[in-house]
Amino acid sequence: MQQQHPRLRTLTALPAVVLAGITVLTGCSDPGAAASAADAAKPAANGISYNSSPEQNRIRAEKDPALAAEVPAAISKDGKLTVGTTAGSVPLSFHATDNTTPIGSEIDLAQLVADKLGLQLDVQVTAWENWPLKTQSGDLEVVFSNVGINADRVKLFDFSTYRAAFMAFEAKSSSSYDIKGSDDISGLKISVGSGTNQEKILLAWNKQLEAKGKAPAELQYYSSDADTILALGSGRTDLNITPYPSAVYRANTREDLKIVGKVNAGWPNETLVAATTLKDNGLAPAVTDALNAVIKDGSYGKVLARWGLSDEALPASETVTAANYKAGAK
């Protein structure tokens, strides 16, 4: 992949700002997210029905004593796993219809990890800009908020991977686009956020097109998220490129839009979303082992399916640190 409350931040979508001595990614808003809480209560397409109520009836896991023993004593002594999230991105992390309870796929996965480690889940909502400092200070023990791994972050944090990160091309349901690469966007009008990873991808694809003597895509920028979706619906733009989970949610809850292609958020390389912990505090290996346990028992897959994100499932979780990080590794 993002992400401050109001509305959708994805960590992979992003203008860079400097925070806590590193480059972090702030997000671009998700078009259409403003209506998410009400829409999420409606039956959706593809067999998915989004539950936005505070009563989540989450998928749970059983404590594994061996895994619980891996948690550093300084973290386990209070019996809680303090998880940071931003609650501004449907269906990843957002507020329920009571406007208080944080829910979403990120919260559900954090719940599974806490269960496996024998700890009570303690969710703390924070602004996207604040999670690095709060993790460094110890206020947050792990962050589940669509954090992407990059070379700057591994200098200060350790990671336990749990989801792939894609960008989606969305179009009107009546369209016949099939976007697989740069050739497929030649001459099209595409809405994109300024300074985002999406824009970076499109600019690189346009260079490829120009090198082939083909017409580049025309990038269009709108002042608000609502304007972006209105432009797409009215035909003023042909495509919108946006974080994949957001596009999936819209495709499942609206009849006028569909996904017509996707690309890795780290194109031309690969990036992954990961649980984020303080560098060298010993928690990441336990989180990774817990994630692998819930991948193996099937509860991880059930969570992603519940939120329509099965396409971003990983076969296994890995611990990524500064020592083993390889930019763009697949």
Side-chain angles (χ1 to χ4, degrees):
M1 359 201 75
Q2 80 5 294
Q3 210 161 348
Q4 64 188 21
H5 187 63
R7 300 298 172 203
L8 186 57
R9 293 261 187 201
T10 63
L11 318 194
T12 53
L14 319 170
V17 296
V18 176
L19 180 64
I22 64 172
T23 299
V24 295
L25 298 177
T26 60
C28 63
S29 298
D30 173 31
S36 58
D39 291 345
K42 300 176 182 178
N46 301 319
I48 299 168
S49 182
Y50 294 97
N51 173 15
S52 64
S53 72
E55 296 75 28
Q56 284 293 292
N57 190 26
R58 290 194 180 106
I59 297 161
R60 303 295 295 269
E62 295 294 326
K63 175 182 177 180
D64 184 321
L67 296 182
E70 295 182 19
V71 180
I75 293 171
S76 64
K77 63 182 180 181
D78 64 355
K80 299 186 296 184
L81 184 66
T82 305
V83 173
T85 195
T86 52
S89 172
V90 179
L92 300 174
S93 172
F94 61 108
H95 282 107
T97 50
D98 62 358
N99 292 319
T100 300
T101 306
I103 62 174
S105 63
E106 303 288 74
I107 313 302
D108 285 5
L109 291 174
Q111 180 71 71
L112 291 180
V113 168
D115 287 346
K116 278 295 179 185
L117 298 179
L119 298 172
Q120 178 184 349
L121 180 65
D122 176 23
V123 177
Q124 299 292 322
V125 176
T126 186
W128 166 252
E129 292 80 2
N130 293 338
W131 72 256
L133 289 175
K134 287 192 173 184
T135 303
Q136 289 177 285
S137 70
D139 290 343
L140 301 176
E141 293 167 342
V142 59
V143 176
F144 278 79
S145 198
N146 202 36
V147 180
I149 305 171
N150 65 35
D152 292 303
R153 290 187 183 136
V154 295
K155 297 174 184 177
L156 294 175
F157 305 103
D158 295 334
F159 299 91
S160 301
T161 61
Y162 64 85
R163 213 180 71 246
F166 295 110
M167 296 298 177
F169 289 93
E170 56 184 347
K172 293 174 67 172
S173 297
S174 58
S175 72
S176 58
Y177 300 118
D178 183 14
I179 310 300
K180 292 184 168 60
S182 59
D183 288 347
D184 301 316
I185 66 168
S186 178
L188 298 181
K189 297 177 181 179
I190 306 176
S191 58
V192 64
S194 177
T196 63
N197 274 9
Q198 298 98 297
E199 182 190 39
K200 180 180 178 181
I201 292 168
L202 293 183
L203 291 174
W205 283 15
N206 271 350
K207 287 185 178 181
Q208 292 181 349
L209 289 169
E210 290 167 351
K212 297 176 183 178
K214 295 184 176 182
E218 179 185 330
L219 307 192
Q220 298 191 349
Y221 304 87
Y222 291 90
S223 59
S224 72
D225 300 337
D227 287 345
T228 300
I229 292 300
L230 285 174
L232 185 62
S234 68
R236 296 198 302 275
T237 57
D238 302 305
L239 299 171
N240 178 43
I241 182 170
T242 189
Y244 184 73
S246 309
V248 168
Y249 170 75
R250 281 194 292 273
N252 285 336
T253 55
R254 300 175 61 129
E255 296 181 353
D256 58 335
L257 300 178
K258 68 178 181 180
I259 295 173
V260 295
K262 67 179 180 180
V263 59
N264 195 280
W267 187 93
N269 300 307
E270 179 182 77
T271 189
L272 296 173
V273 173
T276 307
T277 54
L278 185 63
K279 180 180 172 64
D280 296 332
N281 75 348
L283 181 57
V287 173
T288 299
D289 288 346
L291 283 165
N292 279 321
V294 297
I295 289 171
K296 184 177 180 179
D297 71 22
S299 53
Y300 163 86
K302 290 177 181 177
V303 164
L304 292 188
R306 179 187 184 209
W307 296 102
L309 302 179
S310 296
D311 286 354
E312 292 193 323
L314 298 181
S317 175
E318 296 181 355
T319 300
V320 178
T321 67
N324 68 1
Y325 174 73
K326 293 181 181 180
K330 292 190 176 184

